[in-house]
Amino acid sequence: MIVLGERYHFMDMEMQKLQKKFQNIAFVPYKEKDAYQVIEDIKSKLKEEPYKLIVLNTKAPVPDELIQYLTDLELDGIKFLTIEHFLEKYLHKVFIPKDNSDISFLDNIKPFSPWQYFQKRVVDFCVVIPLGIITLPVILYATYRIKKESPDGEIFFKQTRVGKNGKSFTCYKFRSMRTDIEFFDHYTQEDDPRIFPWGETMRKTRIDELPQLLNVLKGELHLIGPRAEWNELAKKYEEHWPFYHTRHLVHPGITGWAQVNYPYGKCLEDTYQKLMYDLYYIKNWSLWLEIKTALQTALVMVGKKGH
């Protein structure tokens, strides 16, 4: 494929995914060039390789001459897509302009319909109840290890998080950090001194999330949905993205589309990337996407795939 412009910068992990789908990927600069220069650059690339897709990765107006040329190429089997449609089709995320110059991506972000919500609750109960029974020995063992390795605090970590429609609720997790150390950061860091050994194991295997099964039964969480964010961080994010609360049109989840497609977040850029995945999930929800996310989560937990 040929990428025209630099509006969206692809990350290394995204390039690796795309290289599995496209044998050759070429980039053509678009800024400060007239239509005829761009057309000549595309012609030059097409002579080198039989590209079948052109991505319009620019926020600049597309001249009539270039539109006509791209339309003519379609007659030869060479398609073109805007970066917005490309990201949704191939990387399964909604494009969000960093400068907030275009909010049209919000048009199709709607709350789940009653039928969709019913399907999600059926999935919740069909998974959560058996999972709670099966993992009961793990829950009891985790309780024992926490008491043994970190007797300075409570078994459960309780935190106020943002739920559907911005309403707060208390989220439960197994405590994985010490309480007798003075250290604070909004994000968990690599080799974080607060995490005790068993806590690290729980975080890697997602065992620390098991108490959230109770939140699901109470209707505060779904099994799958946008990650339930801490109130304080949500306020911080809204300062950068005024539309951040759009993700709260639906109930959050224990796991989600962002969690299985992107590494653990450590900075604002990570939050920006995950927000694109969250909005894709809400916009394109289907029972198949729900099942797919659940299966990918299972692979993450056994260390086979994902983040």
Side-chain angles (χ1 to χ4, degrees), residues 64-221:
D64 292 345
E65 295 85 356
L66 181 55
I67 293 175
Q68 181 179 346
Y69 175 68
L70 293 174
T71 303
D72 290 341
L73 287 179
E74 282 200 308
L75 301 178
D76 295 325
I78 302 173
K79 299 184 180 298
F80 71 91
L81 289 172
T82 62
I83 187 63
E84 292 86 352
H85 289 99
F86 177 81
L87 289 183
E88 287 202 37
K89 183 174 182 178
Y90 292 100
L91 292 177
H92 313 299
K93 61 199 297 187
V94 168
F95 175 66
I96 300 177
K98 285 195 171 182
D99 58 5
N100 299 333
S101 59
D102 181 6
I103 59 171
S104 60
F105 64 90
L106 295 174
D107 289 347
N108 296 313
I109 310 298
K110 307 294 183 184
F112 294 139
S113 69
W115 172 236
Q116 289 175 320
Y117 176 74
F118 174 77
Q119 292 178 80
K120 284 183 65 62
R121 287 305 278 167
V122 169
V123 173
D124 288 344
F125 286 113
C126 286
V127 174
V128 166
I129 293 176
L131 184 61
I133 296 172
I134 293 171
T135 59
L136 183 58
V138 178
I139 292 172
L140 295 175
Y141 181 71
T143 301
Y144 162 74
R145 288 294 298 270
I146 293 169
K147 286 183 177 179
K148 180 180 179 181
E149 293 189 13
S150 181
D152 49 278
E154 297 182 359
I155 298 299
F156 299 107
F157 172 70
K158 303 173 186 177
Q159 190 178 64
T160 300
R161 299 202 177 185
V162 183
K164 183 182 179 183
N165 296 329
K167 295 180 180 179
S168 298
F169 71 98
T170 300
C171 184
Y172 303 97
K173 298 178 69 172
F174 277 128
R175 182 172 58 85
S176 60
M177 294 185 177
R178 296 166 57 188
T179 60
D180 60 346
I181 184 171
E182 292 186 6
F183 179 90
F184 179 77
D185 195 300
H186 282 130
Y187 299 98
T188 304
Q189 303 299 318
E190 187 173 351
D191 299 322
D192 198 308
R194 296 170 294 178
I195 303 175
F196 52 87
W198 173 246
E200 181 68 23
T201 300
M202 289 194 296
R203 295 172 76 93
K204 286 182 178 180
T205 57
R206 307 290 177 91
I207 289 174
D208 63 324
E209 310 278 359
L210 286 175
Q212 292 180 42
L213 298 179
L214 177 60
N215 290 116
V216 176
L217 294 176
K218 292 170 64 178
E220 297 165 332
L221 283 178

Side-chain angles (χ1 to χ4, degrees), residues 24-43:
N24 296 294
I25 301 176
F27 292 86
V28 173
Y30 186 82
K31 192 175 182 180
E32 298 180 354
K33 285 188 176 184
D34 62 38
Y36 298 103
Q37 288 178 304
V38 175
I39 290 172
E40 288 303 314
D41 287 345
I42 294 175
K43 287 181 177 179

Side-chain angles (χ1 to χ4, degrees), residues 204-206 296-307:
K204 286 182 178 180
T205 57
R206 307 290 177 91
Q296 287 187 223
T297 299
L299 292 175
V300 169
M301 293 182 70
V302 297
K304 298 294 184 180
K305 183 182 176 182
H307 309 278

